[in-house]
Amino acid sequence: MKALAPAALIATLFAAGAAQAADPVMGDWMTSTGSGKVRIAPCGDKLCGTIVWLKKPLDAKGQPQKDEANPDPKLRDRPVVGLTLIKDFRQATQGKWVDGKIYDPQTGKTYASKLSPNPDGTLKVEGCISVICQAQTWKRAN
């Protein structure tokens, strides 16, 4: 009987990982303006999204775009590509993620956020200040 316990544990972990991987929010998404691509993936028991591509990756001097609007001066020199844009989302139900944060590198502001798939296969990304929310629609990247 004890020999079956590790096999059962491995099967349970595999099933949990497969269910999370099948979540419709996971994957690569183009932002609403088409200026960037964000990869949404698990990070521990939460969900995060990293900028993996920019339409204009270089600044006027030919250098990689930097996080210049960040309120922390120590972080203003980090590149935008590779930046964690969304973090700390917890799953409410399959495909619906809440209690997260979204960072806007253009303004340096961070907003409360939630994510959910739309019936047409796009992604609804909401950023909120207090009870006022603004939504964007992201399209799945090819």
Side-chain angles (χ1 to χ4, degrees):
M1 286 292 196
K2 286 186 179 184
L4 293 177
L9 176 62
I10 291 169
T12 301
L13 291 173
F14 179 79
Q20 191 174 42
D23 193 293
V25 170
M26 305 290 176
D28 289 355
W29 297 93
M30 294 299 294
T31 60
S32 61
T33 61
S35 62
K37 184 189 301 182
V38 178
R39 179 164 296 141
I40 299 176
C43 49
D45 63 342
K46 304 277 183 166
L47 191 70
C48 298
T50 304
I51 298 172
V52 294
W53 175 87
L54 289 175
K55 188 173 190 173
K56 295 182 180 179
L58 304 178
D59 64 17
K61 297 177 185 176
Q63 299 298 310
Q65 293 281 354
K66 303 283 185 187
D67 189 17
E68 295 174 350
N70 196 297
D72 183 345
K74 295 179 214 155
L75 299 177
R76 292 181 185 156
D77 201 36
R78 65 184 178 169
V80 172
V81 173
L83 188 70
T84 299
L85 185 73
I86 60 175
K87 64 180 182 176
D88 298 334
F89 285 84
R90 90 176 158 76
Q91 191 172 31
T93 61
Q94 179 71 11
K96 295 194 180 196
W97 294 81
V98 297
D99 299 334
K101 304 242 183 295
I102 187 163
Y103 174 69
D104 180 356
Q106 292 181 325
T107 65
K109 295 185 182 198
T110 300
Y111 304 95
S113 186
K114 50 190 168 182
L115 306 170
S116 59
N118 290 317
D120 66 357
T122 60
L123 181 65
K124 182 179 181 182
V125 180
E126 289 183 88
C128 306
I129 298 176
S130 186
V131 295
I132 301 170
C133 297
Q134 184 177 16
Q136 292 184 352
T137 301
W138 292 4
K139 293 181 181 177
R140 188 155 307 266
N142 297 345

